[in-house]
Amino acid sequence: MNVSDFDLVIRGGTVVTGTDTFRADIGVVGETITVVGEALEPGGGRIIEADGLLVMPGGIDSHCHIEQLQPDGSEYEDSFGHASAACFAGGTTSVITFAAQFKGQRLGPVLAEYHRRAARGMVDYSFHQIINDPFDAVIEQDVPEVVAAGIRSLKVFLTYDDVRLDDRQYLRVLAAARRAGALVTVHAENYDAIAWLTEALLKAGMTAPKYHAWSRPTVIETEATHRAIALAELVDQPIQIFHVSGPEPAAEIARARARGVKVWGETCPQYLVLSAADMDRPGFEGAKFICSPAPRGPAESEGLWDAIRAGTIDNISSDHSGHSFSIPGRGKRAHGTDVDFTKIPNGVPGLAARLPIVFSEGVSKGRIDAQTFVRLTASNPAKLFGLAPRKGTIAPGSDADLVLWDPAKKVTITNRLMQHAIDYTPYEGLEVTGWPVMTIARGRVVMKDDVVTAAPGSARFLPREPYAFITPRGVFPNGFDAAAIMI
Ligand code: URP
Ligand code: ZN
Ligand code: ZN
Protein backbone atom coordinates (compact mmCIF):
# COMPACT_ATOMS: atom_id res chain seq x y z
CA MET A 1 0.00 0.00 0.00
CA ASN A 2 1.26 3.50 -0.75
CA VAL A 3 1.78 5.93 2.09
CA SER A 4 0.04 8.62 0.10
CA ASP A 5 -3.12 6.78 1.14
CA PHE A 6 -2.22 7.70 4.70
CA ASP A 7 -1.75 10.94 6.57
CA LEU A 8 0.83 9.26 8.77
CA VAL A 9 2.87 6.07 8.81
CA ILE A 10 4.81 4.89 11.86
CA ARG A 11 7.39 2.63 10.33
CA GLY A 12 9.62 -0.17 11.58
CA GLY A 13 8.77 -0.21 15.27
CA THR A 14 8.00 -3.14 17.52
CA VAL A 15 4.27 -2.96 18.11
CA VAL A 16 3.18 -4.07 21.59
CA THR A 17 -0.48 -4.54 22.44
CA GLY A 18 -2.03 -6.21 25.47
CA THR A 19 -1.88 -9.54 23.65
CA ASP A 20 0.88 -9.44 21.00
CA THR A 21 4.36 -8.19 20.18
CA PHE A 22 5.36 -7.96 16.50
CA ARG A 23 7.21 -5.78 14.03
CA ALA A 24 4.80 -3.73 11.90
CA ASP A 25 4.09 -0.43 10.27
CA ILE A 26 1.01 1.52 11.33
CA GLY A 27 -1.00 3.55 8.81
CA VAL A 28 -3.16 6.41 10.05
CA VAL A 29 -5.86 8.34 8.21
CA GLY A 30 -7.04 11.43 10.02
CA GLU A 31 -7.47 10.43 13.67
CA THR A 32 -7.77 6.69 13.10
CA ILE A 33 -5.52 3.67 12.59
CA THR A 34 -6.52 2.09 9.29
CA VAL A 35 -3.77 -0.48 8.67
CA VAL A 36 -1.35 -2.44 10.84
CA GLY A 37 0.83 -4.19 8.29
CA GLU A 38 4.16 -4.66 6.62
CA ALA A 39 6.19 -2.58 4.20
CA LEU A 40 3.94 0.41 3.93
CA GLU A 41 5.77 2.29 1.16
CA PRO A 42 6.82 5.94 1.48
CA GLY A 43 4.76 8.50 -0.38
CA GLY A 44 3.20 11.86 0.34
CA GLY A 45 2.13 11.30 3.93
CA ARG A 46 4.26 11.94 7.01
CA ILE A 47 6.59 9.12 8.01
CA ILE A 48 7.87 8.57 11.52
CA GLU A 49 10.73 6.09 11.81
CA ALA A 50 10.35 3.92 14.89
CA ASP A 51 13.27 1.56 14.42
CA GLY A 52 14.53 0.37 17.82
CA LEU A 53 11.43 1.71 19.59
CA LEU A 54 8.38 0.06 21.08
CA VAL A 55 5.09 1.36 19.68
CA MET A 56 2.35 0.96 22.27
CA PRO A 57 -1.20 2.24 22.79
CA GLY A 58 -1.28 5.62 24.50
CA GLY A 59 -1.77 5.22 28.24
CA ILE A 60 -5.18 5.51 29.86
CA ASP A 61 -5.11 7.00 33.35
CA SER A 62 -8.44 6.03 34.87
CA HIS A 63 -7.97 7.74 38.24
CA CYS A 64 -6.76 11.34 38.39
CA HIS A 65 -8.02 14.43 40.17
CA ILE A 66 -7.88 17.43 37.85
CA GLU A 67 -9.35 20.88 38.63
CA GLN A 68 -11.56 19.03 41.09
CA LEU A 69 -13.41 21.11 43.66
CA GLN A 70 -13.16 20.14 47.32
CA PRO A 71 -15.89 20.44 49.97
CA ASP A 72 -13.86 23.18 51.75
CA GLY A 73 -13.89 25.37 48.60
CA SER A 74 -10.32 24.57 47.57
CA GLU A 75 -9.41 22.93 44.28
CA TYR A 76 -6.84 20.42 43.06
CA GLU A 77 -4.28 22.76 41.55
CA ASP A 78 -3.56 21.24 38.13
CA SER A 79 -5.78 22.72 35.42
CA PHE A 80 -6.89 20.52 32.51
CA GLY A 81 -4.31 22.34 30.38
CA HIS A 82 -1.37 21.55 32.63
CA ALA A 83 -2.62 18.04 33.31
CA SER A 84 -2.92 17.40 29.57
CA ALA A 85 0.70 18.46 29.07
CA ALA A 86 1.75 16.14 31.89
CA CYS A 87 -0.21 13.28 30.31
CA PHE A 88 1.39 13.75 26.91
CA ALA A 89 4.85 14.11 28.45
CA GLY A 90 4.39 10.72 30.09
CA GLY A 91 2.78 8.88 27.16
CA THR A 92 -0.83 9.05 28.38
CA THR A 93 -3.52 10.02 25.87
CA SER A 94 -6.82 9.54 27.76
CA VAL A 95 -7.93 10.22 31.31
CA ILE A 96 -10.94 9.42 33.44
CA THR A 97 -11.15 12.16 36.01
CA PHE A 98 -13.91 13.12 38.45
CA ALA A 99 -17.11 15.18 38.60
CA ALA A 100 -17.63 15.73 42.33
CA GLN A 101 -21.10 16.12 43.85
CA PHE A 102 -21.32 17.79 47.27
CA LYS A 103 -24.12 17.71 49.82
CA GLY A 104 -27.46 18.82 48.41
CA GLN A 105 -26.28 19.12 44.81
CA ARG A 106 -28.08 17.64 41.81
CA LEU A 107 -25.77 15.88 39.35
CA GLY A 108 -26.72 17.63 36.09
CA PRO A 109 -25.17 21.04 36.86
CA VAL A 110 -22.14 19.38 38.50
CA LEU A 111 -21.41 17.37 35.37
CA ALA A 112 -21.94 20.40 33.12
CA GLU A 113 -19.36 22.37 35.13
CA TYR A 114 -16.72 19.64 34.82
CA HIS A 115 -17.40 19.32 31.08
CA ARG A 116 -16.76 23.05 30.78
CA ARG A 117 -13.44 22.69 32.59
CA ALA A 118 -12.21 19.55 30.80
CA ALA A 119 -13.00 20.90 27.33
CA ARG A 120 -10.29 23.56 27.84
CA GLY A 121 -7.60 20.86 27.97
CA MET A 122 -5.92 18.74 25.31
CA VAL A 123 -6.25 15.17 26.57
CA ASP A 124 -9.33 13.05 25.78
CA TYR A 125 -11.45 12.55 28.86
CA SER A 126 -14.34 10.98 30.65
CA PHE A 127 -15.52 11.26 34.25
CA HIS A 128 -16.38 9.09 37.19
CA GLN A 129 -19.39 10.73 38.83
CA ILE A 130 -18.66 11.07 42.56
CA ILE A 131 -21.77 10.55 44.70
CA ASN A 132 -21.41 12.20 48.10
CA ASP A 133 -25.10 12.66 48.86
CA PRO A 134 -27.37 9.91 47.52
CA PHE A 135 -30.73 11.58 48.22
CA ASP A 136 -33.89 10.38 46.45
CA ALA A 137 -33.78 12.64 43.38
CA VAL A 138 -30.12 11.80 42.80
CA ILE A 139 -30.75 8.07 42.98
CA GLU A 140 -34.04 8.04 41.05
CA GLN A 141 -33.45 10.69 38.37
CA ASP A 142 -29.87 11.92 38.23
CA VAL A 143 -27.90 8.67 38.21
CA PRO A 144 -29.87 7.28 35.21
CA GLU A 145 -29.43 10.62 33.44
CA VAL A 146 -25.67 10.92 33.86
CA VAL A 147 -25.19 7.28 32.89
CA ALA A 148 -27.30 7.80 29.77
CA ALA A 149 -25.07 10.81 29.03
CA GLY A 150 -22.08 8.45 28.77
CA ILE A 151 -20.72 8.53 32.33
CA ARG A 152 -20.71 4.79 33.00
CA SER A 153 -18.90 4.83 36.35
CA LEU A 154 -19.76 6.20 39.77
CA LYS A 155 -17.29 6.77 42.58
CA VAL A 156 -17.86 6.56 46.31
CA PHE A 157 -15.67 7.26 49.34
CA LEU A 158 -16.05 5.06 52.40
CA THR A 159 -13.91 7.52 54.36
CA TYR A 160 -13.02 11.27 54.56
CA ASP A 161 -15.17 13.83 56.41
CA ASP A 162 -17.91 15.49 54.33
CA VAL A 163 -17.77 12.98 51.49
CA ARG A 164 -17.90 9.49 52.94
CA LEU A 165 -20.96 7.27 52.59
CA ASP A 166 -22.19 4.96 55.31
CA ASP A 167 -23.04 1.37 54.40
CA ARG A 168 -26.73 2.08 53.80
CA GLN A 169 -25.89 4.95 51.44
CA TYR A 170 -23.29 2.83 49.67
CA LEU A 171 -25.91 0.12 49.13
CA ARG A 172 -28.21 2.71 47.58
CA VAL A 173 -25.52 3.79 45.13
CA LEU A 174 -24.68 0.19 44.24
CA ALA A 175 -28.33 -0.53 43.51
CA ALA A 176 -28.75 2.65 41.46
CA ALA A 177 -25.65 1.81 39.44
CA ARG A 178 -26.90 -1.68 38.72
CA ARG A 179 -30.27 -0.43 37.51
CA ALA A 180 -28.57 2.18 35.28
CA GLY A 181 -25.76 -0.03 33.96
CA ALA A 182 -22.68 1.62 35.47
CA LEU A 183 -19.56 0.42 37.28
CA VAL A 184 -18.94 1.60 40.87
CA THR A 185 -15.42 2.58 41.95
CA VAL A 186 -14.60 2.63 45.65
CA HIS A 187 -12.13 4.33 48.00
CA ALA A 188 -12.03 1.62 50.67
CA GLU A 189 -10.85 2.65 54.15
CA ASN A 190 -12.77 2.40 57.44
CA TYR A 191 -13.90 5.93 58.40
CA ASP A 192 -14.65 5.30 62.09
CA ALA A 193 -11.45 3.35 62.70
CA ILE A 194 -9.39 6.18 61.18
CA ALA A 195 -11.26 8.77 63.27
CA TRP A 196 -10.69 6.75 66.45
CA LEU A 197 -7.00 6.16 65.78
CA THR A 198 -6.49 9.79 64.78
CA GLU A 199 -8.03 11.05 68.02
CA ALA A 200 -5.74 8.76 70.00
CA LEU A 201 -2.64 9.85 68.05
CA LEU A 202 -3.42 13.54 68.53
CA LYS A 203 -4.09 13.02 72.25
CA ALA A 204 -0.71 11.30 72.50
CA GLY A 205 0.97 14.26 70.76
CA MET A 206 1.87 12.14 67.72
CA THR A 207 1.18 14.79 65.10
CA ALA A 208 4.08 14.69 62.60
CA PRO A 209 3.43 13.75 58.93
CA LYS A 210 4.59 10.16 59.52
CA TYR A 211 1.61 9.55 61.82
CA HIS A 212 -0.67 9.88 58.82
CA ALA A 213 0.32 6.27 58.06
CA TRP A 214 -0.31 5.26 61.69
CA SER A 215 -3.83 6.69 61.49
CA ARG A 216 -4.76 4.28 58.68
CA PRO A 217 -2.83 1.00 58.92
CA THR A 218 -3.39 -1.74 56.36
CA VAL A 219 -5.99 -3.55 58.46
CA ILE A 220 -8.49 -0.66 58.11
CA GLU A 221 -8.09 -0.79 54.33
CA THR A 222 -8.42 -4.58 54.28
CA GLU A 223 -11.60 -4.42 56.37
CA ALA A 224 -13.17 -1.77 54.13
CA THR A 225 -12.15 -3.66 51.00
CA HIS A 226 -13.81 -6.79 52.36
CA ARG A 227 -16.96 -4.82 53.25
CA ALA A 228 -17.09 -2.97 49.94
CA ILE A 229 -16.94 -6.28 48.09
CA ALA A 230 -19.43 -8.04 50.38
CA LEU A 231 -22.04 -5.32 49.91
CA ALA A 232 -21.43 -5.25 46.15
CA GLU A 233 -21.95 -9.02 46.14
CA LEU A 234 -25.21 -8.56 48.04
CA VAL A 235 -26.47 -6.18 45.36
CA ASP A 236 -24.80 -8.05 42.45
CA GLN A 237 -23.06 -4.85 41.32
CA PRO A 238 -19.58 -4.94 39.72
CA ILE A 239 -17.02 -2.68 41.41
CA GLN A 240 -13.40 -1.60 41.16
CA ILE A 241 -11.39 -0.99 44.34
CA PHE A 242 -9.17 2.07 43.90
CA HIS A 243 -5.53 2.37 45.01
CA VAL A 244 -4.90 -1.02 46.64
CA SER A 245 -1.82 -0.48 48.80
CA GLY A 246 -0.59 -4.01 49.45
CA PRO A 247 -1.13 -7.75 49.32
CA GLU A 248 -3.61 -7.97 52.22
CA PRO A 249 -6.41 -5.91 50.64
CA ALA A 250 -5.47 -7.50 47.30
CA ALA A 251 -6.13 -10.93 48.86
CA GLU A 252 -9.72 -9.84 49.60
CA ILE A 253 -10.15 -9.12 45.89
CA ALA A 254 -8.55 -12.43 44.90
CA ARG A 255 -10.83 -14.40 47.24
CA ALA A 256 -13.94 -12.70 45.87
CA ARG A 257 -12.87 -13.21 42.27
CA ALA A 258 -12.25 -16.88 42.96
CA ARG A 259 -15.94 -17.25 43.86
CA GLY A 260 -16.98 -15.37 40.71
CA VAL A 261 -17.64 -11.87 42.08
CA LYS A 262 -17.04 -9.12 39.53
CA VAL A 263 -14.49 -7.02 41.38
CA TRP A 264 -11.33 -5.48 39.96
CA GLY A 265 -8.32 -3.96 41.71
CA GLU A 266 -6.23 -0.92 40.88
CA THR A 267 -2.93 0.22 42.34
CA CYS A 268 -0.69 3.25 41.71
CA PRO A 269 3.08 3.90 41.40
CA GLN A 270 3.21 5.40 44.91
CA TYR A 271 2.49 1.94 46.33
CA LEU A 272 5.25 0.40 44.19
CA VAL A 273 8.15 2.80 44.90
CA LEU A 274 7.29 4.96 47.95
CA SER A 275 6.97 3.85 51.56
CA ALA A 276 5.81 5.02 54.99
CA ALA A 277 9.45 5.96 55.70
CA ASP A 278 9.15 8.78 53.14
CA MET A 279 6.61 10.49 55.41
CA ASP A 280 9.32 10.52 58.11
CA ARG A 281 11.70 12.75 56.16
CA PRO A 282 12.99 15.77 58.12
CA GLY A 283 10.87 18.84 58.80
CA PHE A 284 7.83 19.27 56.58
CA GLU A 285 9.29 17.16 53.72
CA GLY A 286 7.22 14.16 54.78
CA ALA A 287 4.08 16.09 53.73
CA LYS A 288 5.05 15.58 50.09
CA PHE A 289 4.26 11.88 50.41
CA ILE A 290 0.99 12.00 52.37
CA CYS A 291 -1.70 10.16 50.45
CA SER A 292 -4.45 7.71 51.28
CA PRO A 293 -4.18 4.81 51.65
CA ALA A 294 -0.65 5.47 52.93
CA PRO A 295 2.32 3.97 51.09
CA ARG A 296 3.52 0.94 53.09
CA GLY A 297 6.97 -0.55 52.47
CA PRO A 298 9.15 -2.66 50.16
CA ALA A 299 7.58 -5.99 51.23
CA GLU A 300 4.08 -4.68 50.44
CA SER A 301 5.30 -3.32 47.09
CA GLU A 302 6.71 -6.73 46.20
CA GLY A 303 3.41 -8.30 47.28
CA LEU A 304 1.60 -5.97 44.89
CA TRP A 305 3.79 -7.18 42.03
CA ASP A 306 2.72 -10.73 42.95
CA ALA A 307 -0.92 -9.60 42.83
CA ILE A 308 -0.27 -7.93 39.48
CA ARG A 309 1.25 -11.11 38.04
CA ALA A 310 -1.69 -13.12 39.40
CA GLY A 311 -4.12 -10.76 37.63
CA THR A 312 -5.75 -9.61 40.89
CA ILE A 313 -4.51 -6.07 40.29
CA ASP A 314 -5.10 -5.31 36.63
CA ASN A 315 -4.98 -1.52 36.37
CA ILE A 316 -2.32 0.99 37.43
CA SER A 317 -3.46 4.60 37.57
CA SER A 318 -1.68 7.65 38.96
CA ASP A 319 -4.33 8.94 41.43
CA HIS A 320 -2.77 12.27 40.38
CA SER A 321 -3.59 14.88 43.02
CA GLY A 322 -2.17 18.33 42.47
CA HIS A 323 -1.19 19.96 45.76
CA SER A 324 1.81 22.27 45.52
CA PHE A 325 4.47 22.03 48.23
CA SER A 326 6.33 25.32 48.60
CA ILE A 327 3.70 28.05 48.25
CA PRO A 328 2.60 29.50 51.62
CA GLY A 329 -1.16 29.14 52.14
CA ARG A 330 -1.58 26.70 49.25
CA GLY A 331 -1.52 22.96 48.60
CA LYS A 332 0.31 21.00 51.25
CA ARG A 333 0.87 24.31 53.15
CA ALA A 334 -2.78 25.39 52.98
CA HIS A 335 -2.91 25.45 56.80
CA GLY A 336 0.78 26.21 57.38
CA THR A 337 3.58 23.86 58.32
CA ASP A 338 3.20 23.82 62.08
CA VAL A 339 0.13 21.63 61.89
CA ASP A 340 -0.82 18.05 62.71
CA PHE A 341 -0.98 15.52 59.88
CA THR A 342 -4.80 15.79 59.59
CA LYS A 343 -4.44 19.36 58.23
CA ILE A 344 -2.19 18.35 55.31
CA PRO A 345 -4.08 17.66 52.05
CA ASN A 346 -3.91 14.06 50.86
CA GLY A 347 -2.55 12.99 47.51
CA VAL A 348 0.53 13.07 45.28
CA PRO A 349 1.02 14.19 41.67
CA GLY A 350 1.94 11.50 39.13
CA LEU A 351 0.40 11.85 35.65
CA ALA A 352 3.72 11.96 33.77
CA ALA A 353 5.62 9.60 36.05
CA ARG A 354 3.12 6.73 35.85
CA LEU A 355 4.19 4.96 32.65
CA PRO A 356 7.96 5.40 33.13
CA ILE A 357 7.81 4.06 36.69
CA VAL A 358 5.63 1.07 35.82
CA PHE A 359 7.78 0.25 32.77
CA SER A 360 11.05 0.63 34.64
CA GLU A 361 10.06 -1.17 37.84
CA GLY A 362 8.05 -3.72 35.91
CA VAL A 363 9.51 -4.47 32.48
CA SER A 364 13.10 -3.23 32.83
CA LYS A 365 13.51 -5.01 36.17
CA GLY A 366 12.01 -8.23 34.78
CA ARG A 367 8.89 -8.35 36.98
CA ILE A 368 6.44 -8.27 34.03
CA ASP A 369 6.66 -8.34 30.23
CA ALA A 370 5.84 -5.46 27.91
CA GLN A 371 2.40 -6.84 27.00
CA THR A 372 1.46 -6.95 30.67
CA PHE A 373 2.64 -3.33 30.93
CA VAL A 374 0.26 -2.39 28.10
CA ARG A 375 -2.60 -4.27 29.71
CA LEU A 376 -2.04 -2.58 33.09
CA THR A 377 -1.73 0.94 31.75
CA ALA A 378 -4.00 0.99 28.69
CA SER A 379 -5.90 -2.11 27.54
CA ASN A 380 -7.41 -3.16 30.86
CA PRO A 381 -8.67 0.30 31.87
CA ALA A 382 -10.13 0.62 28.35
CA LYS A 383 -12.04 -2.66 28.77
CA LEU A 384 -13.08 -2.05 32.36
CA PHE A 385 -14.41 1.45 31.75
CA GLY A 386 -16.03 0.91 28.35
CA LEU A 387 -13.48 2.71 26.17
CA ALA A 388 -12.42 -0.36 24.16
CA PRO A 389 -11.82 -0.90 21.28
CA ARG A 390 -11.65 2.80 20.44
CA LYS A 391 -8.91 3.26 23.03
CA GLY A 392 -6.30 0.99 24.60
CA THR A 393 -5.20 -1.03 21.58
CA ILE A 394 -3.49 -0.77 18.19
CA ALA A 395 -5.88 -2.05 15.54
CA PRO A 396 -7.69 -0.80 12.44
CA GLY A 397 -10.58 1.39 13.55
CA SER A 398 -9.02 2.42 16.86
CA ASP A 399 -8.03 6.01 17.58
CA ALA A 400 -4.42 6.66 16.59
CA ASP A 401 -3.29 7.13 20.21
CA LEU A 402 0.27 5.87 20.39
CA VAL A 403 3.38 6.18 22.48
CA LEU A 404 6.80 5.56 20.95
CA TRP A 405 8.98 4.20 23.71
CA ASP A 406 12.76 3.90 24.02
CA PRO A 407 13.14 0.86 26.30
CA ALA A 408 16.84 1.53 26.91
CA LYS A 409 16.74 5.26 27.67
CA LYS A 410 17.84 6.03 31.24
CA VAL A 411 16.32 9.10 32.85
CA THR A 412 16.46 10.54 36.35
CA ILE A 413 12.98 11.80 37.21
CA THR A 414 12.91 15.46 38.07
CA ASN A 415 10.00 17.84 38.42
CA ARG A 416 10.81 19.77 35.22
CA LEU A 417 10.08 16.63 33.18
CA MET A 418 6.66 16.14 34.78
CA GLN A 419 5.18 19.22 33.03
CA HIS A 420 2.37 19.60 35.60
CA ALA A 421 1.69 22.87 37.43
CA ILE A 422 2.83 21.38 40.73
CA ASP A 423 6.19 22.43 42.17
CA TYR A 424 7.38 18.98 43.17
CA THR A 425 7.26 15.32 42.31
CA PRO A 426 7.42 12.66 45.03
CA TYR A 427 9.59 10.69 42.58
CA GLU A 428 12.39 13.29 42.39
CA GLY A 429 15.71 11.51 41.79
CA LEU A 430 14.21 8.14 40.88
CA GLU A 431 16.18 6.55 38.05
CA VAL A 432 14.13 4.84 35.38
CA THR A 433 15.03 2.76 32.35
CA GLY A 434 12.56 3.26 29.50
CA TRP A 435 11.07 6.59 28.46
CA PRO A 436 8.44 7.92 26.05
CA VAL A 437 10.11 9.77 23.16
CA MET A 438 6.95 10.60 21.22
CA THR A 439 3.23 10.70 22.00
CA ILE A 440 0.60 10.70 19.27
CA ALA A 441 -3.00 11.54 20.15
CA ARG A 442 -5.68 10.93 17.53
CA GLY A 443 -3.06 11.09 14.80
CA ARG A 444 -1.39 14.30 16.02
CA VAL A 445 2.16 14.36 17.38
CA VAL A 446 1.59 15.98 20.78
CA MET A 447 4.97 15.27 22.39
CA LYS A 448 8.41 14.77 20.90
CA ASP A 449 11.58 14.54 22.98
CA ASP A 450 9.87 15.99 26.06
CA VAL A 451 8.42 18.97 24.17
CA VAL A 452 4.61 19.07 24.25
CA THR A 453 2.80 20.70 21.34
CA ALA A 454 -0.98 20.57 21.46
CA ALA A 455 -3.68 23.17 21.08
CA PRO A 456 -5.70 24.10 24.20
CA GLY A 457 -9.29 23.02 23.66
CA SER A 458 -8.38 20.02 21.50
CA ALA A 459 -9.60 17.59 24.18
CA ARG A 460 -12.55 15.38 23.30
CA PHE A 461 -15.16 13.91 25.62
CA LEU A 462 -15.35 10.11 25.45
CA PRO A 463 -18.99 9.11 25.98
CA ARG A 464 -19.27 5.48 27.06
CA GLU A 465 -22.01 3.25 25.65
CA PRO A 466 -23.44 0.23 27.52
CA TYR A 467 -20.86 -2.58 27.50
CA ALA A 468 -20.98 -6.26 28.37
CA PHE A 469 -17.83 -6.41 30.52
CA ILE A 470 -19.68 -5.05 33.57
CA THR A 471 -22.91 -7.00 33.17
CA PRO A 472 -24.03 -8.21 36.63
CA ARG A 473 -24.07 -11.97 37.21
CA GLY A 474 -27.73 -12.35 38.20
CA VAL A 475 -26.72 -14.02 41.49
CA PHE A 476 -28.30 -12.88 44.81
CA PRO A 477 -28.33 -14.30 48.34
CA ASN A 478 -31.51 -16.44 48.62
CA GLY A 479 -32.26 -15.55 45.01
CA PHE A 480 -33.86 -12.31 46.27
CA ASP A 481 -33.07 -9.20 44.18
CA ALA A 482 -33.54 -6.36 46.68
CA ALA A 483 -32.07 -3.76 44.30
CA ALA A 484 -34.97 -4.27 41.91
CA ILE A 485 -37.35 -3.18 44.68
CA MET A 486 -35.45 -0.59 46.72
CA ILE A 487 -35.06 2.99 45.54
O1 URP B 1 -4.64 10.65 49.01
C1 URP B 1 -5.31 10.57 47.99
N1 URP B 1 -5.41 9.43 47.34
N2 URP B 1 -5.94 11.67 47.56
C2 URP B 1 -6.79 11.78 46.46
C3 URP B 1 -8.20 11.45 46.78
C4 URP B 1 -8.38 9.97 46.87
O2 URP B 1 -8.55 9.44 47.95
O3 URP B 1 -8.35 9.29 45.85
ZN1 ZN C 1 -9.18 7.58 47.08
ZN1 ZN D 1 -8.02 9.47 44.04
Side-chain angles (χ1 to χ4, degrees):
M1 187 172 292
N2 196 294
V3 78
S4 57
D5 296 337
F6 303 112
D7 298 312
L8 173 65
V9 167
I10 296 109
R11 195 167 64 174
T14 299
V15 174
V16 186
T17 69
T19 52
D20 296 296
T21 303
F22 54 98
R23 277 185 71 87
D25 300 345
I26 298 170
V28 175
V29 175
E31 301 185 345
T32 309
I33 297 169
T34 54
V35 177
V36 181
E38 286 179 23
L40 302 184
E41 291 299 323
R46 178 171 180 184
I47 297 170
I48 294 171
E49 300 291 353
D51 219 29
L53 300 176
L54 305 180
V55 182
M56 302 187 282
I60 298 175
D61 196 335
S62 59
H63 179 177
C64 36
H65 303 272
I66 304 172
E67 269 190 58
Q68 187 185 320
L69 299 162
Q70 300 278 66
D72 66 1
S74 66
E75 209 172 292
Y76 286 91
E77 287 173 62
D78 258 318
S79 66
F80 276 91
H82 282 109
S84 299
C87 284
F88 293 157
T92 288
T93 48
S94 303
V95 294
I96 310 181
T97 175
F98 296 94
Q101 178 218 19
F102 300 129
K103 301 274 183 258
Q105 287 182 321
R106 299 293 297 266
L107 301 185
V110 170
L111 188 57
E113 170 61 15
Y114 282 95
H115 269 297
R116 197 180 62 73
R117 289 166 176 247
R120 294 191 293 234
M122 295 98 87
V123 67
D124 289 358
Y125 64 93
S126 183
F127 301 108
H128 306 294
Q129 176 66 59
I130 295 178
I131 309 287
N132 287 335
D133 192 1
F135 56 92
D136 288 355
V138 167
I139 292 295
E140 289 171 34
Q141 297 165 35
D142 296 0
V143 167
E145 274 175 29
V146 298
V147 174
I151 309 299
R152 288 205 169 258
S153 44
L154 310 180
K155 193 250 176 100
V156 299
F157 292 96
L158 301 186
T159 192
Y160 293 141
D161 287 328
D162 300 324
V163 299
R164 67 108 185 193
L165 302 189
D166 63 25
D167 288 351
R168 181 74 183 256
Q169 292 173 313
Y170 173 48
L171 283 166
R172 268 200 123 182
V173 173
L174 289 168
R178 208 199 72 203
R179 290 191 295 268
L183 185 71
V184 173
T185 58
V186 185
H187 178 125
E189 291 186 293
N190 183 307
Y191 173 79
D192 286 308
I194 293 169
W196 184 75
L197 276 171
T198 299
E199 194 178 331
L201 286 163
L202 298 185
K203 275 189 178 157
M206 299 158 92
T207 58
K210 74 171 180 182
Y211 294 113
H212 171 77
W214 290 40
S215 75
R216 48 209 329 127
T218 302
V219 65
I220 64 97
E221 181 190 348
T222 307
E223 183 280 332
T225 302
H226 177 89
R227 183 163 35 97
I229 296 169
L231 298 183
E233 190 173 359
L234 187 68
V235 176
D236 187 27
Q237 167 56 36
I239 61 170
Q240 181 191 248
I241 304 291
F242 273 149
H243 42 44
V244 176
S245 75
E248 291 171 33
E252 296 293 338
I253 297 172
R255 265 195 291 278
R257 287 172 74 118
R259 61 177 187 271
V261 177
K262 289 183 106 165
V263 52
W264 294 272
E266 170 218 77
T267 193
C268 316
Q270 47 271 41
Y271 304 109
L272 299 173
V273 297
L274 301 180
S275 81
D278 287 308
M279 280 172 273
D280 196 20
R281 294 199 193 181
F284 195 61
E285 277 288 303
K288 285 181 176 172
F289 306 92
I290 284 186
C291 59
S292 301
R296 311 292 179 195
E300 283 82 355
S301 300
E302 223 38 73
L304 281 175
W305 284 111
D306 291 337
I308 286 167
R309 280 187 293 268
T312 306
I313 303 287
D314 51 13
N315 180 12
I316 304 184
S317 74
S318 68
D319 194 3
H320 177 85
S321 304
H323 304 297
S324 58
F325 180 69
S326 302
I327 306 167
R330 269 186 48 189
K332 297 280 184 185
R333 288 174 204 250
H335 305 285
T337 53
D338 192 18
V339 289
D340 70 65
F341 63 86
T342 66
K343 306 286 187 316
I344 301 170
N346 282 216
V348 297
L351 283 171
R354 180 180 71 116
L355 295 190
I357 292 175
V358 178
F359 189 92
S360 185
E361 293 293 315
V363 182
S364 304
K365 293 194 176 173
R367 291 181 171 113
I368 55 172
D369 60 20
Q371 289 171 204
T372 306
F373 168 80
V374 170
R375 285 199 298 279
L376 288 166
T377 57
S379 322
N380 286 347
K383 281 185 194 150
L384 181 59
F385 292 107
L387 293 171
R390 177 174 174 191
K391 302 288 190 185
T393 194
I394 297 176
S398 295
D399 281 1
D401 290 353
L402 302 164
V403 57
L404 276 53
W405 196 273
D406 182 345
K409 186 166 178 180
K410 291 186 190 303
V411 173
T412 302
I413 290 184
T414 187
N415 198 47
R416 182 184 53 80
L417 294 171
M418 300 294 95
Q419 308 212 22
H420 49 214
I422 309 307
D423 58 359
Y424 86 100
T425 168
Y427 309 112
E428 187 74 37
L430 184 72
E431 291 179 7
V432 293
T433 302
W435 193 255
V437 293
M438 181 179 286
T439 306
I440 297 171
R442 281 189 277 108
R444 304 156 297 149
V445 175
V446 291
M447 186 280 285
K448 184 173 183 312
D449 297 331
D450 302 323
V451 177
V452 172
T453 46
S458 52
R460 191 168 292 166
F461 172 56
L462 302 170
R464 294 179 276 148
E465 298 293 324
Y467 58 112
F469 200 76
I470 59 164
T471 305
R473 293 188 300 155
V475 177
F476 317 101
N478 304 310
F480 177 62
D481 182 6
I485 297 168
M486 295 294 285
I487 299 297

